[in-house]
Amino acid sequence: MNAPQMTRNQALVFDVLEKAEGPLSAYTILDKLRDQGFRAPLQVYRALEKLLEYGVVHRLESINSFVACAHPGEDCHSHGIVAFAICESCGQVIEFHDHEVDHRLMGWVRSQKFKPAKTTIEIRGTCEACAA
Amino acid sequence: MNAPQMTRNQALVFDVLEKAEGPLSAYTILDKLRDQGFRAPLQVYRALEKLLEYGVVHRLESINSFVACAHPGEDCHSHGIVAFAICESCGQVIEFHDHEVDHRLMGWVRSQKFKPAKTTIEIRGTCEACAA
DNA sequence: TCAATTGCGTTATGCTATAACGTGTGCAAT
DNA sequence: ATTGCACACGTTATAGCATAACGCAATTGA
Ligand SMILES: [Zn+2]
Ligand SMILES: [Zn+2]
Ligand SMILES: [Zn+2]
Ligand SMILES: [Zn+2]
């Protein structure tokens, strides 16, 4: 999925996510866009839905938050499963990919004749900087 | 974490999960336990919190639901990262483990000096029986 | 022009999860 | 026995996350 042309709302939401230090919840995004005329959650969720489709934003299932893709231009859909390490102390997120992990999971999936649609890999813990 | 002795509420919640065909939300569990005297979400969430500690229940982050461990007696904490394949059609969940995946992820984590606390691997898609 | 599609705004609602307070019970130290 | 603590429990209220349903406006393509 390639981004055709972002609408105003999509661009505003994406901009907020790109400039953020870490992942943001939909309601946090909403608050940051009140001055630009955002009034309701749906404005954010509808924009996010498209940005997820375009592959320029990722959803972190384990913390109900969203983050801009760390590999712009590479088209995350093409480089396999995306994994995230989430620091529960500072909120920083590291996005990475591991082809061997993809390979093992897809092997298992094949062996079960399971048809994967969306795969989530999220490691929550403490980043190096935050380590005690 | 080994289960010392379940309280009444914990046993009721666990029983519901064990007898269920698939994962259940906290509120669905609540509804199923109204006849046993459950009135409020906290009764369910508090029981779930303990059951998760004991390792006899897993939380599926991507669908905000809970499922009884498919490998009773093995102590899921001991056999590494737990992964789930979730059929979005019939709701069935397959719990599995792959040491190579663990190994790769833990290798990455070490290389980043990231300290993992809890890792989520969830594959949403369609199971063999539900395939078109 | 007409119909279909898409984005948008608004209101209302539903689902998920926790805060805060108080009660009762079991158990150990004094 | 009394005191203090830990823990489970019950209840009410609130916070946080997400979508349904309606109507309007702009775009596009037949
Ligand atoms: Zn990405
Ligand atoms: Zn950190
Ligand atoms: Zn398990
Ligand atoms: Zn199925």
Side-chain angles (χ1 to χ4, degrees):
Chain A
M1 182 73 56
N2 209 10
Q5 173 63 14
M6 283 190 203
T7 66
R8 170 181 154 82
N9 283 6
Q10 288 160 23
L12 284 168
V13 168
F14 182 64
D15 195 54
V16 164
L17 281 175
E18 242 194 342
K19 294 198 167 108
E21 301 262 330
L24 301 178
S25 77
Y27 277 71
T28 302
I29 296 170
L30 173 58
D31 286 338
K32 287 181 183 292
L33 288 175
R34 297 241 181 237
D35 292 344
Q36 332 296 327
F38 274 49
R39 323 276 337 164
L42 258 190
Q43 296 176 279
V44 177
Y45 281 109
R46 289 204 272 231
L48 285 172
E49 186 179 14
K50 290 300 181 184
L51 295 172
L52 289 169
E53 266 182 44
Y54 302 157
V56 298
V57 162
H58 298 293
R59 178 191 170 90
L60 302 177
E61 305 283 356
S62 65
I63 57 173
N64 296 321
S65 294
F66 303 86
V67 69
C69 177
H71 306 109
E74 290 181 37
D75 185 4
C76 279
H77 283 244
S78 72
H79 50 224
I81 298 170
V82 188
F84 301 90
I86 305 166
C87 177
E88 290 176 310
S89 171
C90 68
Q92 184 194 136
V93 171
I94 308 175
E95 176 180 343
F96 67 100
H97 313 273
D98 185 303
H99 284 283
E100 182 60 20
V101 169
D102 293 14
H103 198 252
R104 295 288 299 183
L105 289 179
M106 290 311 105
W108 181 89
V109 146
R110 273 179 68 91
S111 76
Q112 299 285 318
K113 296 198 170 60
F114 191 92
K115 202 172 174 186
K118 183 82 182 14
T119 297
T120 296
I121 302 180
E122 296 175 16
I123 307 174
R124 290 170 322 285
T126 312
C127 76
E128 180 177 10
C130 290
Chain B
M1 184 72 56
N2 210 9
Q5 173 62 14
M6 283 189 203
T7 66
R8 170 181 154 84
N9 283 6
Q10 288 159 25
L12 284 168
V13 168
F14 182 65
D15 195 55
V16 165
L17 281 175
E18 242 195 342
K19 294 198 167 109
E21 302 261 332
L24 301 178
S25 77
Y27 278 72
T28 302
I29 296 171
L30 174 58
D31 285 339
K32 287 182 183 292
L33 289 176
R34 297 238 180 242
D35 292 344
Q36 331 296 325
F38 274 47
R39 321 279 336 166
L42 259 191
Q43 296 176 280
V44 177
Y45 282 109
R46 290 206 269 231
L48 286 172
E49 184 180 12
K50 289 300 179 183
L51 295 172
L52 290 168
E53 267 182 43
Y54 303 157
V56 297
V57 162
H58 298 292
R59 177 191 172 91
L60 302 176
E61 305 284 356
S62 65
I63 58 174
N64 296 320
S65 294
F66 303 85
V67 68
C69 177
H71 307 109
E74 290 181 38
D75 184 4
C76 280
H77 283 244
S78 72
H79 51 225
I81 298 170
V82 188
F84 302 91
I86 305 166
C87 177
E88 291 175 309
S89 171
C90 68
Q92 184 194 137
V93 170
I94 308 174
E95 176 180 343
F96 67 100
H97 312 273
D98 185 305
H99 284 281
E100 182 60 19
V101 169
D102 293 15
H103 197 253
R104 293 290 298 185
L105 288 179
M106 290 309 105
W108 182 90
V109 146
R110 274 179 67 90
S111 77
Q112 299 285 318
K113 297 197 171 56
F114 190 93
K115 204 171 171 186
K118 182 82 184 14
T119 298
T120 297
I121 301 181
E122 295 175 16
I123 306 173
R124 281 152 353 265
T126 313
C127 77
E128 180 176 10
C130 289

